Amino acid sequence: PRSARRRGRVRLGQRDGRITIAIEDDGVGGARIGAGVGLRGLADRVDALQGTIAIRSEPLRGTNIEVELPCAS
């Protein structure tokens, strides 16, 4: 497998007119938006919805992706 992850977690939440999505794994890390089309495509979609995306992915420390999108209540 590409990420060599053993565990992953997805969390969803809603607060103050925003929906939050947090995705994390314990894989090899090193993910970045410019490295391929997967994260670039995700970032483009988040931007089109006027949201934000943050990616933390240090080598050998897994990957954490946090997305916030506007959401009418």
Side-chain angles (χ1 to χ4, degrees):
R2 184 176 301 174
S3 72
R5 70 151 180 83
R6 292 182 308 258
R7 295 187 184 121
R9 178 168 47 178
V10 177
R11 291 178 287 135
L12 301 171
Q14 182 181 4
R15 184 179 64 208
D16 300 327
R18 311 263 311 158
I19 188 166
T20 59
I21 306 161
I23 305 160
E24 59 186 68
D25 71 32
D26 63 353
V28 298
R32 54 191 166 83
I33 288 179
V37 296
L39 289 177
R40 173 79 267 149
L42 176 61
D44 289 346
R45 288 174 177 88
V46 168
D47 187 55
L49 295 171
Q50 300 176 350
T52 61
I53 184 170
I55 300 170
R56 291 185 312 278
S57 186
E58 297 179 35
L60 304 177
R61 303 210 46 169
T63 299
N64 295 299
I65 301 171
E66 295 182 11
V67 173
E68 284 195 10
L69 299 169
C71 178
S73 335

